[in-house]
Amino acid sequence: FSLRKLWAFTGPGFLMSIAYLDPGNIESDLQSGAVAGFKLLWVLLLATVIGLLLQRLAARLGVVTGLHLAEVCNRQYPKVPRIILWLMVELAIIGSDMQEVIGSAIAINLLSVGKIPLWAGVLITIADTFVFLFLDKYGLRKLEALFGFLITIMALTFGYEYITVKPDQGKLLQGLFVPYCQDCGTPQLEQAVGIVGAVIMPHNMYLHSALVKSRQVDRGNKREVREANKYFFVESCIALFVSFIINIFVVTVFAEAFFNKTNADVNHVCGNTSSPHASLFPNDNQTLEVDIYKGGVVLGCYFGPAALYIWAIGILAAGQSSTMTGTYSGQFVMEGFLNLRWSRFARVLLTRSIAITPTLLVSIFQDVEHLTGMNDFLNVLMSLQLPFALIPVLTFTSLPSVMNDFANGLFWKVAGGLLIFLICSINMYFVVAYVMALNHLALYIGAAVLSVLYLCFVAYLV
């Protein structure tokens, strides 16, 4: 084992791990802490480990074949299923992009003490993407270093909140290693499902399989391929461990400070601190519901303005870093599935416009409640897209005709199949719970029709 070689292979895993730290994940973390306390930490740990095993398959596919997942799909699937698959993955990327835009806009609004309205924050996120594209010209290693810097900012900001709040370490360890949720009901179950949906991102499989191609590997030399697989896996372990720790910071801060709190409790504290946001929380005995925006506000009320601004900086770093991973994913997916080589500028302009338009309309004509409420819908959208990444990656890494001597053995085939079945089942429950909560017959019928078509396509892929 060589640290020098590990350093040479370091980069793709950290870019991939940013998807585990996007604003959608942060929102899922804080809600799970506020709704279930420390009780769902083991779900977060399990989801991260499952995510690591699936990322390992994606990285191996790229290293062994020299092709990323979208390129392999292009070669293996007929035209019509290939186009449907491409559309599904594009939908996931656009949904992820919307979450990043929402998170960044809210962070900018909080940092400016409300002086920059949400719609202006949304427009600012258009400009920042092109700044990243400009930096990309200086080479991938420099871009990887920038992402490392943004992850460090997240670790420091959310770590500051963790030190300020001082969560109970005994409850933290119990929540991590005791897979049990005492006195949990439907809200806690839905949060557990939401954690899995937020952590494992469909487009991340396509991204990771492409990023590993940035390192030179002699694919005719089995020892070199085996060595590359080893170092990429070690790097992924380190990167996801860092992202897991940051997620732990967020969950435990809200579990310690805001579990079982009511709106009246927060309204009283915010009123005493003369917070301009006290009106966000009605003076009633309903359990506190938080999102990225309210999360920053309640931290500011309880722990001072510094906690609010530092929280907003962390959210901004999460939104900015995940912006570029979405851009890269979109580029690789379009080139792989369609053999269509657009300039990165044109590609970003298209997807960012699609993502910005509905977000901008909501931010102009509605309030922050509706904007953060979009995140729930987007998490459902992501959950629905998962089979379109997980089934192909397991299929192709199990085929000797694709992977030669590096094809999955029986254990990986069975374990991978069971994992994917479990994840897809959990996410379908999440989707059904979301649709049932809408309470509208026309929506039920529409959802039923779409479900039949959806399941038929998933069955085809299987």
Side-chain angles (χ1 to χ4, degrees):
F1 184 83
S2 161
L3 285 174
R4 186 187 293 273
K5 280 188 178 175
L6 177 61
W7 178 248
F9 284 101
T10 295
F14 279 91
L15 261 70
M16 166 275 293
S17 73
I18 282 166
Y20 291 72
L21 294 167
D22 71 348
N25 264 300
I26 302 298
E27 181 148 288
S28 169
D29 290 339
L30 64 91
Q31 286 175 347
S32 109
V35 169
F38 296 88
K39 297 172 189 173
L40 295 178
L41 283 172
W42 63 273
V43 178
L44 177 63
L45 174 62
L46 196 62
T48 307
V49 170
I50 291 171
L52 173 65
L53 298 176
L54 294 170
Q55 296 297 159
R56 174 185 178 270
L57 294 179
R60 281 170 66 87
L61 181 71
V63 170
V64 174
T65 63
L67 302 169
H68 56 73
L69 182 55
E71 290 172 326
V72 179
C73 288
N74 189 358
R75 295 186 177 201
Q76 298 287 336
Y77 289 127
K79 186 176 181 180
V80 173
R82 188 170 75 236
I83 290 172
I84 295 171
L85 200 56
W86 169 67
L87 289 171
M88 293 297 104
V89 179
E90 286 289 356
L91 207 56
I93 291 168
I94 290 165
S96 173
D97 210 23
M98 285 175 72
Q99 287 185 319
E100 289 140 20
V101 170
I102 291 168
S104 297
I106 287 171
I108 291 166
N109 181 265
L110 286 171
L111 285 170
S112 67
V113 201
K115 287 187 172 63
I116 298 178
L118 289 168
W119 61 265
V122 169
L123 291 175
I124 289 169
T125 60
I126 298 175
D128 62 27
T129 310
F130 295 107
V131 172
F132 280 124
L133 286 181
F134 174 73
L135 291 170
D136 184 45
K137 291 181 179 178
Y138 290 97
L140 188 61
R141 285 299 266 183
K142 287 187 174 63
L143 202 62
E144 288 169 354
L146 174 66
F147 284 120
F149 173 68
L150 290 170
I151 291 172
T152 305
I153 289 176
M154 280 185 263
L156 292 174
T157 51
F158 296 134
Y160 169 86
E161 309 288 359
Y162 180 84
I163 292 166
T164 304
V165 175
K166 298 184 183 67
D168 185 316
Q169 300 302 298
K171 288 181 180 176
L172 190 160
L173 291 171
Q174 185 182 359
L176 265 182
F177 300 112
V178 179
Y180 182 63
C181 190
Q182 190 173 5
D183 302 324
C184 287
T186 304
Q188 288 78 15
L189 181 60
E190 286 180 3
Q191 279 305 319
V193 172
I195 289 170
V196 178
V199 166
I200 302 168
M201 307 282 271
H203 60 281
N204 220 25
M205 304 294 147
Y206 291 87
L207 176 68
H208 200 191
S209 65
L211 289 172
V212 295
K213 289 171 60 182
S214 63
R215 303 304 191 263
Q216 292 299 317
V217 178
D218 179 5
R219 290 179 177 81
N221 185 331
K222 287 183 184 177
R223 187 187 64 78
E224 207 170 309
V225 171
R226 197 171 285 111
E227 188 176 68
N229 282 331
K230 177 178 76 174
Y231 283 112
F232 277 129
F233 182 62
V234 172
E235 187 229 2
S236 296
C237 289
I238 296 167
L240 287 189
F241 177 73
V242 172
S243 73
F244 175 66
I245 295 297
I246 295 171
N247 283 321
I248 288 260
F249 286 161
V250 179
V251 175
T252 53
V253 162
F254 282 84
E256 182 66 39
F258 306 115
F259 177 51
N260 275 342
K261 286 279 193 302
T262 64
N263 285 326
D265 294 334
V266 179
N267 181 286
H268 178 68
V269 173
C270 287
N272 287 343
T273 56
S274 303
S275 167
H277 305 290
S279 59
L280 277 173
F281 308 98
N283 195 9
D284 59 36
N285 288 322
Q286 287 197 337
T287 305
L288 174 68
E289 290 185 6
V290 283
D291 48 46
I292 291 176
Y293 185 79
K294 285 182 180 176
V297 170
V298 292
L299 284 171
C301 291
Y302 276 78
F303 303 104
L308 187 153
Y309 294 124
I310 289 169
W311 168 259
I313 290 167
I315 295 296
L316 187 62
Q320 296 305 294
S321 54
S322 47
T323 289
M324 199 61 197
T325 56
T327 301
Y328 267 116
S329 302
Q331 182 193 10
F332 294 136
V333 163
M334 181 175 275
E335 288 179 2
F337 275 109
L338 304 181
N339 283 325
L340 192 60
R341 299 199 177 273
W342 278 17
S343 73
R344 203 168 285 170
F345 182 89
R347 157 81 216 174
V348 172
L349 199 60
L350 175 67
T351 53
R352 181 57 39 130
S353 300
I354 295 170
I356 287 273
T357 304
T359 316
L360 189 60
L361 290 172
V362 171
S363 64
I364 291 171
F365 297 110
Q366 300 286 352
D367 54 14
V368 71
E369 296 275 342
H370 290 85
L371 196 62
T372 54
M374 282 177 73
N375 267 337
D376 292 334
F377 169 74
L378 293 170
N379 278 335
V380 170
L381 184 69
M382 299 292 205
S383 300
L384 282 169
Q385 309 310 320
L386 268 173
F388 308 127
L390 303 188
I391 294 170
V393 82
L394 180 64
T395 301
F396 299 138
T397 52
S398 299
L399 289 177
S401 59
V402 174
M403 298 289 285
N404 300 319
D405 294 344
F406 292 92
N408 294 330
L410 182 62
F411 170 79
W412 269 99
K413 288 176 186 174
V414 174
L418 289 173
L419 278 180
I420 289 169
F421 178 74
L422 175 68
I423 292 164
C424 294
S425 301
I426 286 171
N427 283 293
M428 284 311 293
Y429 170 85
F430 186 44
V431 172
V432 168
Y434 180 82
V435 172
M436 294 298 284
L438 296 174
N439 280 328
H440 199 291
L441 181 62
L443 291 172
Y444 291 163
I445 294 168
V449 172
L450 289 173
S451 296
V452 171
L453 297 172
Y454 172 86
L455 291 171
C456 285
F457 189 58
V458 170
Y460 168 81
L461 292 178
V462 172

